Amino acid sequence: MPEAKARITAWLEANGVGQGTVTYRLRDWLFSRQRYWGEPFPIVYGEDGAPVALPDSLLPVELPDVPDYAPRTFAPDDVTSAPEPPLGRNEEWVNVTLDLGDGPKTYRRETNTMPNWAGSCWYYLRYLDPADQQEAVSPELERYWLGPEHNPGAGKAGGVDLYVGGVEHAVLHLLYARFWHKVLFDLGHVSALEPFHTLFNQGYIQAYAYTDARGQYVTAAEVEEHVSDSGETTYTWHGEPVNREYGKMGKSLKNVVTPDEMYEQYGADTFRVYEMSMGPLDMSRPWETRAVVGSQRFLQRLWRNVVDEATGDVVVVDEAPDDATLRLVHRTIADVTVEMEHMRPNTAIAKLITLNNHLTGLASVPRAAVEPLVLMTAPIAPHIAEELWKRLGHDASLAHEPFPVADPAYLVEETVTCVVQVQGKVRARLEVPPSIAEDALRELALADENVQRNLDGRGAHGDRARAEARQRRPGLTPGRRSRCHPCPGDRAPRRRPGSQPGRVRHARARAAAPQGGAARRRAPVADLQPGSRHRPDGADARRGRGPARGGARRRPRRRPG
């Protein structure tokens, strides 16, 4: 086929009746729509039917009021009927008398509309200068917000710093907007080479959809669930059996959950918190209305931490928070800052809930602790945050307040948790300084009452002196130790030849973090073993590994007691 087209083109050019050229086609580029919602074309038709463009003085053309927004199609009982767009029913708007330079004449307006692309393809430019009646956007404002190198991360191409949208936008809106922007750039109306700098695709909100025997989707809200005596679940729509499938939520699937009912029952803030806490923003998440209660409880507790529900009085105190509360507040600020910068609102909300629960457990809530919490809650629940901010005595809106900044002094952990295990079971948790020495940590672990009770006076092979004193007891390896490192890194303990690995375990704990909660440190886990299960020749008597007498393997043997 390509060869035939090339030969035909060559023949047409050779005979002077045609010329080869390159054409570009876009699928779904149907710019004219027979619907109401869209931009009216600035075109009128004269008495001869010729189209005439309206002058700038008559722009913009605004949509009129119509009695019915639905388009009309062919009437089944009238062969003379014809389709009609909604705008065609407003005769006063359609037929208009205008003076376009050659005297007043009657013109007919175009009743089709543009498919919203005429606005959506450059709306980001209009946001910068919405009141300008002379230009689409002021060149100075466009260069300041979108121009090349307008900030350190913009680069030479410029454009909107971050675009958040669904993956389906990549082949529709983003593609069309880029075409429009390129034309505006070539004409000199914009300085940015590209319209958008960074793209972040959010996942789908998923829900169940139902199809009938024909494979057509039916309204999910009208489907009824039936459970038989045997436990089998079936679904019907208007009495007809339907099949259930799981996927994205969409109008074509007829399974859209509108937020109107949730606004009425829970409020807009609860709906926002639930949506942003469902999971990672870039992953598809299942919709579960019953799970909204958790988001509602978080906001209710936040309200009660500030306002007395019975009297409406503010209950916060001006006393300074204790050290533990201050550390948690600044740790939360640092963590929330990092999570929000990396587009992880779900984990940021989890940090806010942790801080809010801590404040709920206090006898009185300090102002210095709850005000940063309210400011951090504002991006996800702006209405309740604004109300609480006003009740806390601030006249100006919190929208003009800077986001809280963590104090690095409160991000340094003075203690870490050391987990002490006896025979693989947790018997104690010790709060110790991160720099504690191995011998001091061992002494603390052996001094714990619960550890001593589980050792039952047998000591631990982590204690060299006791191991040497009992070296003649059957089954003991002289000098065998459990190593317990403060662990500044992830280095593995050294092993002697023939010894069993895995006696030292490590658990995460926070240590000095100069910024945003990024630094973490590993705390030690002491595994104290009563006696020893290792043979002097390196065999593991518990697991039956290693050479036994005569080179043969022996079955594991446990010592009495």
Side-chain angles (χ1 to χ4, degrees), residues 269-293:
D269 280 340
T270 299
F271 179 68
R272 288 169 58 93
V273 173
Y274 170 66
E275 273 203 315
M276 285 186 276
S277 63
M278 291 173 66
L281 185 59
D282 58 342
M283 301 293 291
S284 296
R285 290 95 66 196
W287 178 266
E288 179 55 65
T289 304
R290 291 173 293 184
V292 180
V293 178

mmCIF file with all atom_site columns, all heavy atoms in Angstrom, residues 269-293:
data_model
loop_
_atom_site.group_PDB
_atom_site.id
_atom_site.type_symbol
_atom_site.label_atom_id
_atom_site.label_alt_id
_atom_site.label_comp_id
_atom_site.label_asym_id
_atom_site.label_entity_id
_atom_site.label_seq_id
_atom_site.pdbx_PDB_ins_code
_atom_site.Cartn_x
_atom_site.Cartn_y
_atom_site.Cartn_z
_atom_site.occupancy
_atom_site.B_iso_or_equiv
_atom_site.pdbx_formal_charge
_atom_site.auth_seq_id
_atom_site.auth_comp_id
_atom_site.auth_asym_id
_atom_site.auth_atom_id
_atom_site.pdbx_PDB_model_num
ATOM 1   N N   . ASP A 1 269 ? -15.179 18.284 54.407 1.00 0.00 ? 269 ASP A N   1
ATOM 2   C CA  . ASP A 1 269 ? -13.849 18.017 54.956 1.00 0.00 ? 269 ASP A CA  1
ATOM 3   C C   . ASP A 1 269 ? -13.625 16.523 55.185 1.00 0.00 ? 269 ASP A C   1
ATOM 4   O O   . ASP A 1 269 ? -12.552 15.998 54.893 1.00 0.00 ? 269 ASP A O   1
ATOM 5   C CB  . ASP A 1 269 ? -13.666 18.769 56.270 1.00 0.00 ? 269 ASP A CB  1
ATOM 6   C CG  . ASP A 1 269 ? -13.312 20.229 56.045 1.00 0.00 ? 269 ASP A CG  1
ATOM 7   O OD1 . ASP A 1 269 ? -12.844 20.552 54.933 1.00 0.00 ? 269 ASP A OD1 1
ATOM 8   O OD2 . ASP A 1 269 ? -13.507 21.046 56.950 1.00 0.00 ? 269 ASP A OD2 1
ATOM 9   N N   . THR A 1 270 ? -14.624 15.846 55.717 1.00 0.00 ? 270 THR A N   1
ATOM 10  C CA  . THR A 1 270 ? -14.494 14.403 55.937 1.00 0.00 ? 270 THR A CA  1
ATOM 11  C C   . THR A 1 270 ? -14.288 13.683 54.611 1.00 0.00 ? 270 THR A C   1
ATOM 12  O O   . THR A 1 270 ? -13.470 12.765 54.499 1.00 0.00 ? 270 THR A O   1
ATOM 13  C CB  . THR A 1 270 ? -15.733 13.858 56.647 1.00 0.00 ? 270 THR A CB  1
ATOM 14  O OG1 . THR A 1 270 ? -15.859 14.491 57.924 1.00 0.00 ? 270 THR A OG1 1
ATOM 15  C CG2 . THR A 1 270 ? -15.646 12.354 56.856 1.00 0.00 ? 270 THR A CG2 1
ATOM 16  N N   . PHE A 1 271 ? -15.021 14.096 53.592 1.00 0.00 ? 271 PHE A N   1
ATOM 17  C CA  . PHE A 1 271 ? -14.875 13.491 52.272 1.00 0.00 ? 271 PHE A CA  1
ATOM 18  C C   . PHE A 1 271 ? -13.458 13.699 51.733 1.00 0.00 ? 271 PHE A C   1
ATOM 19  O O   . PHE A 1 271 ? -12.843 12.783 51.176 1.00 0.00 ? 271 PHE A O   1
ATOM 20  C CB  . PHE A 1 271 ? -15.915 14.094 51.332 1.00 0.00 ? 271 PHE A CB  1
ATOM 21  C CG  . PHE A 1 271 ? -15.854 13.569 49.928 1.00 0.00 ? 271 PHE A CG  1
ATOM 22  C CD1 . PHE A 1 271 ? -16.196 12.263 49.642 1.00 0.00 ? 271 PHE A CD1 1
ATOM 23  C CD2 . PHE A 1 271 ? -15.445 14.386 48.890 1.00 0.00 ? 271 PHE A CD2 1
ATOM 24  C CE1 . PHE A 1 271 ? -16.135 11.778 48.351 1.00 0.00 ? 271 PHE A CE1 1
ATOM 25  C CE2 . PHE A 1 271 ? -15.389 13.916 47.591 1.00 0.00 ? 271 PHE A CE2 1
ATOM 26  C CZ  . PHE A 1 271 ? -15.735 12.602 47.323 1.00 0.00 ? 271 PHE A CZ  1
ATOM 27  N N   . ARG A 1 272 ? -12.903 14.891 51.921 1.00 0.00 ? 272 ARG A N   1
ATOM 28  C CA  . ARG A 1 272 ? -11.554 15.185 51.438 1.00 0.00 ? 272 ARG A CA  1
ATOM 29  C C   . ARG A 1 272 ? -10.520 14.344 52.183 1.00 0.00 ? 272 ARG A C   1
ATOM 30  O O   . ARG A 1 272 ? -9.612  13.770 51.573 1.00 0.00 ? 272 ARG A O   1
ATOM 31  C CB  . ARG A 1 272 ? -11.249 16.678 51.629 1.00 0.00 ? 272 ARG A CB  1
ATOM 32  C CG  . ARG A 1 272 ? -11.994 17.611 50.680 1.00 0.00 ? 272 ARG A CG  1
ATOM 33  C CD  . ARG A 1 272 ? -11.819 19.049 51.129 1.00 0.00 ? 272 ARG A CD  1
ATOM 34  N NE  . ARG A 1 272 ? -10.412 19.417 51.183 1.00 0.00 ? 272 ARG A NE  1
ATOM 35  C CZ  . ARG A 1 272 ? -9.746  19.999 50.193 1.00 0.00 ? 272 ARG A CZ  1
ATOM 36  N NH1 . ARG A 1 272 ? -10.374 20.289 49.070 1.00 0.00 ? 272 ARG A NH1 1
ATOM 37  N NH2 . ARG A 1 272 ? -8.485  20.320 50.322 1.00 0.00 ? 272 ARG A NH2 1
ATOM 38  N N   . VAL A 1 273 ? -10.648 14.278 53.512 1.00 0.00 ? 273 VAL A N   1
ATOM 39  C CA  . VAL A 1 273 ? -9.685  13.501 54.292 1.00 0.00 ? 273 VAL A CA  1
ATOM 40  C C   . VAL A 1 273 ? -9.736  12.032 53.884 1.00 0.00 ? 273 VAL A C   1
ATOM 41  O O   . VAL A 1 273 ? -8.699  11.375 53.742 1.00 0.00 ? 273 VAL A O   1
ATOM 42  C CB  . VAL A 1 273 ? -9.959  13.659 55.797 1.00 0.00 ? 273 VAL A CB  1
ATOM 43  C CG1 . VAL A 1 273 ? -9.076  12.711 56.613 1.00 0.00 ? 273 VAL A CG1 1
ATOM 44  C CG2 . VAL A 1 273 ? -9.714  15.095 56.233 1.00 0.00 ? 273 VAL A CG2 1
ATOM 45  N N   . TYR A 1 274 ? -10.944 11.498 53.688 1.00 0.00 ? 274 TYR A N   1
ATOM 46  C CA  . TYR A 1 274 ? -11.059 10.084 53.325 1.00 0.00 ? 274 TYR A CA  1
ATOM 47  C C   . TYR A 1 274 ? -10.412 9.815  51.969 1.00 0.00 ? 274 TYR A C   1
ATOM 48  O O   . TYR A 1 274 ? -9.651  8.845  51.810 1.00 0.00 ? 274 TYR A O   1
ATOM 49  C CB  . TYR A 1 274 ? -12.516 9.661  53.289 1.00 0.00 ? 274 TYR A CB  1
ATOM 50  C CG  . TYR A 1 274 ? -12.708 8.285  52.694 1.00 0.00 ? 274 TYR A CG  1
ATOM 51  C CD1 . TYR A 1 274 ? -12.206 7.159  53.338 1.00 0.00 ? 274 TYR A CD1 1
ATOM 52  C CD2 . TYR A 1 274 ? -13.354 8.111  51.478 1.00 0.00 ? 274 TYR A CD2 1
ATOM 53  C CE1 . TYR A 1 274 ? -12.349 5.896  52.787 1.00 0.00 ? 274 TYR A CE1 1
ATOM 54  C CE2 . TYR A 1 274 ? -13.507 6.850  50.923 1.00 0.00 ? 274 TYR A CE2 1
ATOM 55  C CZ  . TYR A 1 274 ? -12.999 5.752  51.582 1.00 0.00 ? 274 TYR A CZ  1
ATOM 56  O OH  . TYR A 1 274 ? -13.131 4.510  51.028 1.00 0.00 ? 274 TYR A OH  1
ATOM 57  N N   . GLU A 1 275 ? -10.692 10.661 50.995 1.00 0.00 ? 275 GLU A N   1
ATOM 58  C CA  . GLU A 1 275 ? -10.128 10.440 49.660 1.00 0.00 ? 275 GLU A CA  1
ATOM 59  C C   . GLU A 1 275 ? -8.601  10.481 49.672 1.00 0.00 ? 275 GLU A C   1
ATOM 60  O O   . GLU A 1 275 ? -7.933  9.679  49.026 1.00 0.00 ? 275 GLU A O   1
ATOM 61  C CB  . GLU A 1 275 ? -10.658 11.493 48.686 1.00 0.00 ? 275 GLU A CB  1
ATOM 62  C CG  . GLU A 1 275 ? -11.973 11.115 48.055 1.00 0.00 ? 275 GLU A CG  1
ATOM 63  C CD  . GLU A 1 275 ? -12.187 11.833 46.746 1.00 0.00 ? 275 GLU A CD  1
ATOM 64  O OE1 . GLU A 1 275 ? -11.934 13.053 46.687 1.00 0.00 ? 275 GLU A OE1 1
ATOM 65  O OE2 . GLU A 1 275 ? -12.612 11.193 45.771 1.00 0.00 ? 275 GLU A OE2 1
ATOM 66  N N   . MET A 1 276 ? -8.042  11.424 50.440 1.00 0.00 ? 276 MET A N   1
ATOM 67  C CA  . MET A 1 276 ? -6.581  11.561 50.434 1.00 0.00 ? 276 MET A CA  1
ATOM 68  C C   . MET A 1 276 ? -5.886  10.551 51.338 1.00 0.00 ? 276 MET A C   1
ATOM 69  O O   . MET A 1 276 ? -4.670  10.399 51.267 1.00 0.00 ? 276 MET A O   1
ATOM 70  C CB  . MET A 1 276 ? -6.201  12.988 50.831 1.00 0.00 ? 276 MET A CB  1
ATOM 71  C CG  . MET A 1 276 ? -6.434  13.992 49.723 1.00 0.00 ? 276 MET A CG  1
ATOM 72  S SD  . MET A 1 276 ? -5.842  15.656 50.112 1.00 0.00 ? 276 MET A SD  1
ATOM 73  C CE  . MET A 1 276 ? -7.241  16.270 51.023 1.00 0.00 ? 276 MET A CE  1
ATOM 74  N N   . SER A 1 277 ? -6.643  9.871  52.200 1.00 0.00 ? 277 SER A N   1
ATOM 75  C CA  . SER A 1 277 ? -6.041  8.866  53.074 1.00 0.00 ? 277 SER A CA  1
ATOM 76  C C   . SER A 1 277 ? -6.297  7.449  52.587 1.00 0.00 ? 277 SER A C   1
ATOM 77  O O   . SER A 1 277 ? -5.899  6.494  53.256 1.00 0.00 ? 277 SER A O   1
ATOM 78  C CB  . SER A 1 277 ? -6.582  9.022  54.504 1.00 0.00 ? 277 SER A CB  1
ATOM 79  O OG  . SER A 1 277 ? -7.987  8.788  54.538 1.00 0.00 ? 277 SER A OG  1
ATOM 80  N N   . MET A 1 278 ? -6.933  7.280  51.433 1.00 0.00 ? 278 MET A N   1
ATOM 81  C CA  . MET A 1 278 ? -7.270  5.950  50.939 1.00 0.00 ? 278 MET A CA  1
ATOM 82  C C   . MET A 1 278 ? -6.041  5.125  50.591 1.00 0.00 ? 278 MET A C   1
ATOM 83  O O   . MET A 1 278 ? -6.066  3.897  50.662 1.00 0.00 ? 278 MET A O   1
ATOM 84  C CB  . MET A 1 278 ? -8.186  6.050  49.713 1.00 0.00 ? 278 MET A CB  1
ATOM 85  C CG  . MET A 1 278 ? -9.571  6.566  50.025 1.00 0.00 ? 278 MET A CG  1
ATOM 86  S SD  . MET A 1 278 ? -10.540 6.843  48.517 1.00 0.00 ? 278 MET A SD  1
ATOM 87  C CE  . MET A 1 278 ? -10.712 5.175  47.899 1.00 0.00 ? 278 MET A CE  1
ATOM 88  N N   . GLY A 1 279 ? -4.963  5.769  50.201 1.00 0.00 ? 279 GLY A N   1
ATOM 89  C CA  . GLY A 1 279 ? -3.764  5.042  49.798 1.00 0.00 ? 279 GLY A CA  1
ATOM 90  C C   . GLY A 1 279 ? -2.856  5.954  49.002 1.00 0.00 ? 279 GLY A C   1
ATOM 91  O O   . GLY A 1 279 ? -3.114  7.163  48.870 1.00 0.00 ? 279 GLY A O   1
ATOM 92  N N   . PRO A 1 280 ? -1.761  5.413  48.459 1.00 0.00 ? 280 PRO A N   1
ATOM 93  C CA  . PRO A 1 280 ? -0.853  6.236  47.655 1.00 0.00 ? 280 PRO A CA  1
ATOM 94  C C   . PRO A 1 280 ? -1.583  6.913  46.502 1.00 0.00 ? 280 PRO A C   1
ATOM 95  O O   . PRO A 1 280 ? -2.438  6.309  45.851 1.00 0.00 ? 280 PRO A O   1
ATOM 96  C CB  . PRO A 1 280 ? 0.175   5.215  47.141 1.00 0.00 ? 280 PRO A CB  1
ATOM 97  C CG  . PRO A 1 280 ? 0.148   4.112  48.153 1.00 0.00 ? 280 PRO A CG  1
ATOM 98  C CD  . PRO A 1 280 ? -1.281  4.033  48.629 1.00 0.00 ? 280 PRO A CD  1
ATOM 99  N N   . LEU A 1 281 ? -1.236  8.157  46.257 1.00 0.00 ? 281 LEU A N   1
ATOM 100 C CA  . LEU A 1 281 ? -1.961  8.955  45.271 1.00 0.00 ? 281 LEU A CA  1
ATOM 101 C C   . LEU A 1 281 ? -1.840  8.391  43.869 1.00 0.00 ? 281 LEU A C   1
ATOM 102 O O   . LEU A 1 281 ? -2.759  8.524  43.053 1.00 0.00 ? 281 LEU A O   1
ATOM 103 C CB  . LEU A 1 281 ? -1.446  10.398 45.316 1.00 0.00 ? 281 LEU A CB  1
ATOM 104 C CG  . LEU A 1 281 ? -2.168  11.422 44.436 1.00 0.00 ? 281 LEU A CG  1
ATOM 105 C CD1 . LEU A 1 281 ? -3.641  11.504 44.798 1.00 0.00 ? 281 LEU A CD1 1
ATOM 106 C CD2 . LEU A 1 281 ? -1.510  12.783 44.560 1.00 0.00 ? 281 LEU A CD2 1
ATOM 107 N N   . ASP A 1 282 ? -0.711  7.755  43.561 1.00 0.00 ? 282 ASP A N   1
ATOM 108 C CA  . ASP A 1 282 ? -0.509  7.258  42.207 1.00 0.00 ? 282 ASP A CA  1
ATOM 109 C C   . ASP A 1 282 ? -1.032  5.831  42.009 1.00 0.00 ? 282 ASP A C   1
ATOM 110 O O   . ASP A 1 282 ? -0.862  5.264  40.937 1.00 0.00 ? 282 ASP A O   1
ATOM 111 C CB  . ASP A 1 282 ? 0.969   7.308  41.841 1.00 0.00 ? 282 ASP A CB  1
ATOM 112 C CG  . ASP A 1 282 ? 1.822   6.508  42.815 1.00 0.00 ? 282 ASP A CG  1
ATOM 113 O OD1 . ASP A 1 282 ? 1.349   6.221  43.918 1.00 0.00 ? 282 ASP A OD1 1
ATOM 114 O OD2 . ASP A 1 282 ? 2.973   6.178  42.462 1.00 0.00 ? 282 ASP A OD2 1
ATOM 115 N N   . MET A 1 283 ? -1.676  5.261  43.020 1.00 0.00 ? 283 MET A N   1
ATOM 116 C CA  . MET A 1 283 ? -2.214  3.913  42.920 1.00 0.00 ? 283 MET A CA  1
ATOM 117 C C   . MET A 1 283 ? -3.737  3.965  42.861 1.00 0.00 ? 283 MET A C   1
ATOM 118 O O   . MET A 1 283 ? -4.373  4.854  43.431 1.00 0.00 ? 283 MET A O   1
ATOM 119 C CB  . MET A 1 283 ? -1.775  3.069  44.113 1.00 0.00 ? 283 MET A CB  1
ATOM 120 C CG  . MET A 1 283 ? -0.266  2.951  44.264 1.00 0.00 ? 283 MET A CG  1
ATOM 121 S SD  . MET A 1 283 ? 0.513   2.031  42.936 1.00 0.00 ? 283 MET A SD  1
ATOM 122 C CE  . MET A 1 283 ? -0.123  0.399  43.279 1.00 0.00 ? 283 MET A CE  1
ATOM 123 N N   . SER A 1 284 ? -4.344  2.991  42.175 1.00 0.00 ? 284 SER A N   1
ATOM 124 C CA  . SER A 1 284 ? -5.795  2.879  42.164 1.00 0.00 ? 284 SER A CA  1
ATOM 125 C C   . SER A 1 284 ? -6.265  2.329  43.504 1.00 0.00 ? 284 SER A C   1
ATOM 126 O O   . SER A 1 284 ? -5.636  1.429  44.075 1.00 0.00 ? 284 SER A O   1
ATOM 127 C CB  . SER A 1 284 ? -6.250  1.967  41.029 1.00 0.00 ? 284 SER A CB  1
ATOM 128 O OG  . SER A 1 284 ? -5.914  2.531  39.773 1.00 0.00 ? 284 SER A OG  1
ATOM 129 N N   . ARG A 1 285 ? -7.369  2.872  43.993 1.00 0.00 ? 285 ARG A N   1
ATOM 130 C CA  . ARG A 1 285 ? -7.847  2.491  45.323 1.00 0.00 ? 285 ARG A CA  1
ATOM 131 C C   . ARG A 1 285 ? -9.320  2.122  45.256 1.00 0.00 ? 285 ARG A C   1
ATOM 132 O O   . ARG A 1 285 ? -10.082 2.711  44.496 1.00 0.00 ? 285 ARG A O   1
ATOM 133 C CB  . ARG A 1 285 ? -7.677  3.640  46.318 1.00 0.00 ? 285 ARG A CB  1
ATOM 134 C CG  . ARG A 1 285 ? -6.251  3.958  46.692 1.00 0.00 ? 285 ARG A CG  1
ATOM 135 C CD  . ARG A 1 285 ? -5.701  5.052  45.849 1.00 0.00 ? 285 ARG A CD  1
ATOM 136 N NE  . ARG A 1 285 ? -6.354  6.336  46.070 1.00 0.00 ? 285 ARG A NE  1
ATOM 137 C CZ  . ARG A 1 285 ? -6.267  7.376  45.272 1.00 0.00 ? 285 ARG A CZ  1
ATOM 138 N NH1 . ARG A 1 285 ? -5.567  7.293  44.160 1.00 0.00 ? 285 ARG A NH1 1
ATOM 139 N NH2 . ARG A 1 285 ? -6.871  8.496  45.551 1.00 0.00 ? 285 ARG A NH2 1
ATOM 140 N N   . PRO A 1 286 ? -9.743  1.162  46.067 1.00 0.00 ? 286 PRO A N   1
ATOM 141 C CA  . PRO A 1 286 ? -11.155 0.788  46.090 1.00 0.00 ? 286 PRO A CA  1
ATOM 142 C C   . PRO A 1 286 ? -11.965 1.756  46.941 1.00 0.00 ? 286 PRO A C   1
ATOM 143 O O   . PRO A 1 286 ? -11.509 2.214  47.995 1.00 0.00 ? 286 PRO A O   1
ATOM 144 C CB  . PRO A 1 286 ? -11.138 -0.616 46.706 1.00 0.00 ? 286 PRO A CB  1
ATOM 145 C CG  . PRO A 1 286 ? -9.926  -0.611 47.585 1.00 0.00 ? 286 PRO A CG  1
ATOM 146 C CD  . PRO A 1 286 ? -8.918  0.257  46.885 1.00 0.00 ? 286 PRO A CD  1
ATOM 147 N N   . TRP A 1 287 ? -13.153 2.042  46.490 1.00 0.00 ? 287 TRP A N   1
ATOM 148 C CA  . TRP A 1 287 ? -14.047 2.919  47.250 1.00 0.00 ? 287 TRP A CA  1
ATOM 149 C C   . TRP A 1 287 ? -14.817 2.090  48.273 1.00 0.00 ? 287 TRP A C   1
ATOM 150 O O   . TRP A 1 287 ? -15.382 1.062  47.950 1.00 0.00 ? 287 TRP A O   1
ATOM 151 C CB  . TRP A 1 287 ? -15.023 3.621  46.309 1.00 0.00 ? 287 TRP A CB  1
ATOM 152 C CG  . TRP A 1 287 ? -15.986 4.502  47.040 1.00 0.00 ? 287 TRP A CG  1
ATOM 153 C CD1 . TRP A 1 287 ? -17.230 4.180  47.476 1.00 0.00 ? 287 TRP A CD1 1
ATOM 154 C CD2 . TRP A 1 287 ? -15.762 5.848  47.434 1.00 0.00 ? 287 TRP A CD2 1
ATOM 155 N NE1 . TRP A 1 287 ? -17.801 5.240  48.123 1.00 0.00 ? 287 TRP A NE1 1
ATOM 156 C CE2 . TRP A 1 287 ? -16.919 6.281  48.115 1.00 0.00 ? 287 TRP A CE2 1
ATOM 157 C CE3 . TRP A 1 287 ? -14.696 6.733  47.290 1.00 0.00 ? 287 TRP A CE3 1
ATOM 158 C CZ2 . TRP A 1 287 ? -17.036 7.562  48.636 1.00 0.00 ? 287 TRP A CZ2 1
ATOM 159 C CZ3 . TRP A 1 287 ? -14.818 8.006  47.809 1.00 0.00 ? 287 TRP A CZ3 1
ATOM 160 C CH2 . TRP A 1 287 ? -15.984 8.410  48.471 1.00 0.00 ? 287 TRP A CH2 1
ATOM 161 N N   . GLU A 1 288 ? -14.822 2.563  49.526 1.00 0.00 ? 288 GLU A N   1
ATOM 162 C CA  . GLU A 1 288 ? -15.550 1.877  50.586 1.00 0.00 ? 288 GLU A CA  1
ATOM 163 C C   . GLU A 1 288 ? -16.181 2.930  51.482 1.00 0.00 ? 288 GLU A C   1
ATOM 164 O O   . GLU A 1 288 ? -15.516 3.557  52.311 1.00 0.00 ? 288 GLU A O   1
ATOM 165 C CB  . GLU A 1 288 ? -14.608 0.981  51.398 1.00 0.00 ? 288 GLU A CB  1
ATOM 166 C CG  . GLU A 1 288 ? -15.277 0.250  52.544 1.00 0.00 ? 288 GLU A CG  1
ATOM 167 C CD  . GLU A 1 288 ? -16.479 -0.568 52.100 1.00 0.00 ? 288 GLU A CD  1
ATOM 168 O OE1 . GLU A 1 288 ? -16.297 -1.529 51.337 1.00 0.00 ? 288 GLU A OE1 1
ATOM 169 O OE2 . GLU A 1 288 ? -17.610 -0.204 52.509 1.00 0.00 ? 288 GLU A OE2 1
ATOM 170 N N   . THR A 1 289 ? -17.483 3.145  51.297 1.00 0.00 ? 289 THR A N   1
ATOM 171 C CA  . THR A 1 289 ? -18.167 4.218  52.018 1.00 0.00 ? 289 THR A CA  1
ATOM 172 C C   . THR A 1 289 ? -18.090 4.022  53.522 1.00 0.00 ? 289 THR A C   1
ATOM 173 O O   . THR A 1 289 ? -17.980 4.989  54.286 1.00 0.00 ? 289 THR A O   1
ATOM 174 C CB  . THR A 1 289 ? -19.636 4.302  51.556 1.00 0.00 ? 289 THR A CB  1
ATOM 175 O OG1 . THR A 1 289 ? -19.667 4.478  50.135 1.00 0.00 ? 289 THR A OG1 1
ATOM 176 C CG2 . THR A 1 289 ? -20.336 5.461  52.233 1.00 0.00 ? 289 THR A CG2 1
ATOM 177 N N   . ARG A 1 290 ? -18.128 2.786  53.990 1.00 0.00 ? 290 ARG A N   1
ATOM 178 C CA  . ARG A 1 290 ? -18.131 2.541  55.433 1.00 0.00 ? 290 ARG A CA  1
ATOM 179 C C   . ARG A 1 290 ? -16.835 2.975  56.094 1.00 0.00 ? 290 ARG A C   1
ATOM 180 O O   . ARG A 1 290 ? -16.797 3.211  57.300 1.00 0.00 ? 290 ARG A O   1
ATOM 181 C CB  . ARG A 1 290 ? -18.380 1.057  55.703 1.00 0.00 ? 290 ARG A CB  1
ATOM 182 C CG  . ARG A 1 290 ? -19.799 0.605  55.354 1.00 0.00 ? 290 ARG A CG  1
ATOM 183 C CD  . ARG A 1 290 ? -19.947 -0.898 55.474 1.00 0.00 ? 290 ARG A CD  1
ATOM 184 N NE  . ARG A 1 290 ? -19.146 -1.597 54.466 1.00 0.00 ? 290 ARG A NE  1
ATOM 185 C CZ  . ARG A 1 290 ? -19.151 -2.907 54.306 1.00 0.00 ? 290 ARG A CZ  1
ATOM 186 N NH1 . ARG A 1 290 ? -19.897 -3.674 55.096 1.00 0.00 ? 290 ARG A NH1 1
ATOM 187 N NH2 . ARG A 1 290 ? -18.404 -3.466 53.365 1.00 0.00 ? 290 ARG A NH2 1
ATOM 188 N N   . ALA A 1 291 ? -15.765 3.086  55.322 1.00 0.00 ? 291 ALA A N   1
ATOM 189 C CA  . ALA A 1 291 ? -14.478 3.473  55.887 1.00 0.00 ? 291 ALA A CA  1
ATOM 190 C C   . ALA A 1 291 ? -14.376 4.978  56.140 1.00 0.00 ? 291 ALA A C   1
ATOM 191 O O   . ALA A 1 291 ? -13.393 5.436  56.724 1.00 0.00 ? 291 ALA A O   1
ATOM 192 C CB  . ALA A 1 291 ? -13.348 3.030  54.961 1.00 0.00 ? 291 ALA A CB  1
ATOM 193 N N   . VAL A 1 292 ? -15.388 5.733  55.721 1.00 0.00 ? 292 VAL A N   1
ATOM 194 C CA  . VAL A 1 292 ? -15.352 7.180  55.913 1.00 0.00 ? 292 VAL A CA  1
ATOM 195 C C   . VAL A 1 292 ? -15.420 7.538  57.392 1.00 0.00 ? 292 VAL A C   1
ATOM 196 O O   . VAL A 1 292 ? -14.958 8.605  57.807 1.00 0.00 ? 292 VAL A O   1
ATOM 197 C CB  . VAL A 1 292 ? -16.510 7.838  55.138 1.00 0.00 ? 292 VAL A CB  1
ATOM 198 C CG1 . VAL A 1 292 ? -16.517 9.340  55.315 1.00 0.00 ? 292 VAL A CG1 1
ATOM 199 C CG2 . VAL A 1 292 ? -16.419 7.490  53.661 1.00 0.00 ? 292 VAL A CG2 1
ATOM 200 N N   . VAL A 1 293 ? -15.951 6.650  58.199 1.00 0.00 ? 293 VAL A N   1
ATOM 201 C CA  . VAL A 1 293 ? -16.130 6.945  59.621 1.00 0.00 ? 293 VAL A CA  1
ATOM 202 C C   . VAL A 1 293 ? -14.791 7.253  60.284 1.00 0.00 ? 293 VAL A C   1
ATOM 203 O O   . VAL A 1 293 ? -14.711 8.109  61.171 1.00 0.00 ? 293 VAL A O   1
ATOM 204 C CB  . VAL A 1 293 ? -16.831 5.759  60.317 1.00 0.00 ? 293 VAL A CB  1
ATOM 205 C CG1 . VAL A 1 293 ? -16.978 6.019  61.807 1.00 0.00 ? 293 VAL A CG1 1
ATOM 206 C CG2 . VAL A 1 293 ? -18.198 5.527  59.689 1.00 0.00 ? 293 VAL A CG2 1
#
